[in-house]
Amino acid sequence: MIVSNKRTTDPAVEPVTVAEMDQFLRGDNVIESVDGTLVESLIVAAREYVEEFTRRALITQTWTMYMDRWPQTQDPLGWWDGVREGSISSGDARSLTLPIGPLQSVTSIKTFDQDNNETLFPDTNYFLNTTATPGEVILNTGVVWPTFTRNRMGIEVVYVAGYGDAATDVPSPLRMAIKQLVTHWYEDREFTKTQSDQNQAIAPLHVQSILNRYKVHRL
């Protein structure tokens, strides 16, 4: 059960620059020099909107997830190997899905006992599925998840997600969605609108159409 999943390191750059938006909007360098700060803030807001809607990280960023318990199989009893204390789980219980993709790497997996002492789960105990979105942490054969964690937030996973370090690593349709969204907000800054107009002002239909193609459904 995931109780918290928070971005703990922001991306170093944005997928779209103010200069690119100036070219996209007018192409005369007026916006960059006059409204550059406004456009920059709109780019950040648009990127965050796209990331929240799609549940994807665009530029490389770090997330920290806390859970109360590990994934479980449909059979809570699992099966017993006759030697090791505990049960061996199979199927989905041997993999941990991370909510935000694309997954690049896992920095650490830690557990906390009832006295709040932390223990690092060695990275030699698992491998990553970075080809799927969202990505997965998968246990190696013969390895089980640690036990005896505290009742609340006893598991911490720090992971890195994003298409890459550079704006050009982000798929072109998502960068275009940001440009169109910034344009829409920049050119329509009135606040006296009907409720339906306000909904449309958040993200026009052509932007939503792009984002729907990349949306990752919640776990």
Side-chain angles (χ1 to χ4, degrees):
M1 175 182 178
I2 298 174
V3 295
S4 174
N5 186 57
K6 182 179 180 180
R7 182 169 55 218
T8 47
T9 302
D10 291 330
V13 299
E14 294 297 330
V16 176
T17 65
V18 174
E20 287 177 308
M21 280 309 311
D22 182 270
Q23 185 67 29
F24 188 78
L25 286 164
R26 295 183 51 161
D28 54 11
N29 295 324
V30 172
I31 292 174
E32 185 176 5
S33 59
V34 177
D35 287 339
T37 301
L38 170 61
V39 173
E40 185 175 9
S41 65
L42 291 177
I43 291 172
V44 174
R47 186 258 303 163
E48 291 181 344
Y49 180 90
V50 168
E51 290 181 327
E52 182 177 357
F53 187 95
T54 62
R55 296 185 64 78
R56 293 173 183 263
L58 302 187
I59 302 294
T60 300
Q61 51 196 259
T62 302
W63 287 74
T64 300
M65 179 178 71
Y66 285 97
M67 301 188 303
D68 287 343
R69 60 179 182 268
W70 300 105
Q72 298 176 345
T73 57
Q74 294 180 351
D75 177 9
L77 297 179
W79 60 275
W80 175 248
D81 65 359
V83 177
R84 184 182 46 79
E85 182 179 359
S87 62
I88 297 177
S89 56
S90 60
D92 290 341
R94 295 193 60 80
S95 65
L96 172 63
T97 301
L98 303 176
I100 303 297
L103 175 63
Q104 292 186 19
S105 62
V106 169
T107 304
S108 65
I109 299 177
K110 296 179 180 179
T111 58
F112 299 85
D113 63 20
Q114 298 299 335
D115 296 322
N116 298 326
N117 299 312
E118 69 177 49
T119 300
L120 179 67
F121 189 57
D123 57 12
T124 53
N125 287 342
Y126 58 86
F127 64 96
L128 305 180
N129 177 7
T130 58
T131 60
T133 300
E136 297 176 294
V137 177
I138 304 173
L139 289 177
N140 288 331
T141 302
V143 177
V144 295
W145 298 117
T147 55
F148 306 111
T149 59
R150 65 190 180 195
N151 293 330
R152 290 287 292 169
M153 300 178 68
I155 304 161
E156 176 198 86
V157 182
V158 179
Y159 63 101
V160 179
Y163 286 100
D165 298 339
T168 52
D169 294 324
V170 179
S172 296
L174 291 178
R175 296 182 71 232
M176 177 57 67
I178 291 175
K179 291 178 181 179
Q180 292 177 340
L181 194 54
V182 170
T183 300
H184 185 70
W185 289 343
Y186 181 82
E187 294 181 345
D188 191 3
R189 286 170 276 177
E190 298 178 7
F191 296 99
T192 56
K193 298 177 179 294
T194 65
Q195 183 62 44
S196 60
D197 287 338
Q198 289 174 351
N199 291 337
Q200 177 69 359
I202 293 174
L205 294 179
H206 59 279
V207 173
Q208 294 180 22
S209 178
I210 295 174
L211 300 184
N212 282 330
R213 292 160 47 195
Y214 287 87
K215 186 174 184 178
V216 178
H217 295 288
R218 291 183 180 273
L219 304 176

